[in-house]
Amino acid sequence: MKLRDALEMFLLSAVWGASFILIKLAGIDLPPVWVAFGRLTFGSLFLWTVLKLGRHKLPPVKFIGALVAVGILNNALPFCFFAWGEQTVPSSIAAIINATTPIWALLLGLALGSAHATRLTAAGVVLGFLGVLGVVYGHTAGVAAGAGSHGFVFGVILIAIASLSYGAGAVAAKRWLHGVEPVVIATFQLTLAGLVLLPLALLGPHPTALHFKSLAAVTVLGVLGSGLAYLLFFRLLATISPTRTVAVTYLLPIWGLFWGFVAGEEIRWTALAGVAVVLAGLV
């Protein structure tokens, strides 16, 4: 791996790792659907600019249905559920739960017959889930009993579903969008996911106020966390092996803890121990 590739992997992990605290900040003023819609809008505008400047070809019409499905699984649903879940779950813990995405992708691949697992792989899956459960249990024990505890558990469930959706989106994209340029996939899945959420955003709760912090957070989340991150990811995918590229996912919990600490979130020892177990399971 060249120095440029290593630096880009480090930058990608930092950008994606910061997404969790940006979601938390954007959610101060914006309802969850509007956090997701804003992220998709700014990310789409950025990627359409790149697409036009790079003169990439548009996808054949036959792929539109698959792109809509992948956009819902990979963007619309998880973006909403992460914003919803982080109303009661710290961003650092959301980042740790998100680390189960490769595990969900593997389990779905096994169910569909497109992946195979050894005993070591199965042990890794179990270890990864035990790490997440340890984090969740440790934080739940520290949350005041009653509404606070129930709200936290509900948020964890939402984020777990979002992580599962990410895994399903990855499997679906690999099965249904073979032969389509990665940058084209990214641009269209963000755009179509935004169109899917537009009616929900218009008919659902609207922002009652919009301060600079929330606007800046959702803008950076879209341009960097979705737009630039996709470009870095796909450039790496074209120059180094997929296994090494996907390894960037394993760094996200560490960045999530770091950005959460910077933002003043309480980082419990159970989170530090849990992330170590999750990373061991992923490895």
Side-chain angles (χ1 to χ4, degrees):
M1 183 187 296
K2 297 179 181 179
L3 177 61
R4 177 181 173 179
D5 296 331
L7 291 175
E8 288 188 354
M9 283 193 70
F10 179 81
L11 177 59
L12 177 58
S13 68
V15 170
W16 263 345
S19 295
F20 304 99
I21 191 62
L22 290 172
I23 291 170
K24 175 73 77 173
L25 294 174
I28 294 174
D29 293 332
L30 298 172
V33 174
W34 279 90
V35 173
F37 181 71
R39 180 179 183 179
L40 290 166
T41 300
F42 288 114
S44 298
L45 290 173
F46 179 85
L47 285 171
W48 272 108
T49 302
V50 173
L51 198 71
K52 291 297 183 181
L53 291 176
R55 298 183 179 182
H56 296 277
K57 295 181 180 179
L58 300 182
V61 176
K62 66 178 181 179
F63 286 112
I64 295 301
L67 284 166
V68 171
V70 171
I72 292 172
L73 290 172
N74 225 17
N75 302 112
L77 190 151
F79 284 8
C80 287
F81 275 31
F82 263 99
W84 191 4
E86 284 195 45
Q87 290 182 337
T88 55
V89 175
S91 66
S92 54
I93 292 183
I96 295 172
I97 299 172
N98 180 75
T100 61
T101 295
I103 298 174
W104 287 118
L106 174 62
L107 293 176
L108 290 169
L110 291 172
L112 295 172
S114 59
H116 303 281
T118 63
R119 291 182 178 178
L120 193 60
T121 305
V125 169
V126 173
L127 194 60
F129 275 115
L130 287 176
V132 172
L133 288 175
V135 172
V136 172
Y137 176 79
H139 195 86
T140 303
V143 175
S149 178
H150 292 314
F152 173 75
V153 172
F154 180 66
V156 166
I157 293 171
L158 290 173
I159 293 171
I161 293 172
S163 302
L164 169 60
S165 189
Y166 275 142
V171 173
K174 187 172 183 178
R175 290 173 66 92
W176 298 339
L177 297 174
H178 181 71
V180 182
E181 280 189 278
V183 176
V184 175
I185 294 174
T187 304
F188 272 81
Q189 72 178 33
L190 260 66
T191 302
L192 294 170
L195 292 175
V196 169
L197 288 185
L198 179 58
L200 296 177
L202 293 176
L203 296 174
H206 287 212
T208 56
L210 186 58
H211 298 93
F212 175 77
K213 183 187 290 187
S214 296
L215 181 59
V218 76
T219 302
V220 174
L221 187 60
V223 175
L224 299 184
S226 297
L228 178 62
Y230 272 120
L231 292 182
L232 287 172
F233 180 79
F234 291 133
R235 202 209 75 80
L236 285 167
L237 204 58
T239 56
I240 63 177
S241 71
T243 302
R244 287 185 176 182
T245 304
V246 173
V248 72
T249 307
Y250 308 155
L251 300 175
L252 299 190
I254 299 174
W255 279 112
L257 288 172
F258 171 76
W259 290 117
F261 175 77
V262 169
E265 291 184 353
E266 181 184 5
I267 307 298
R268 300 175 185 273
W269 71 268
T270 50
L272 298 174
V275 75
V277 175
V278 171
L279 292 176
L282 288 168
V283 171

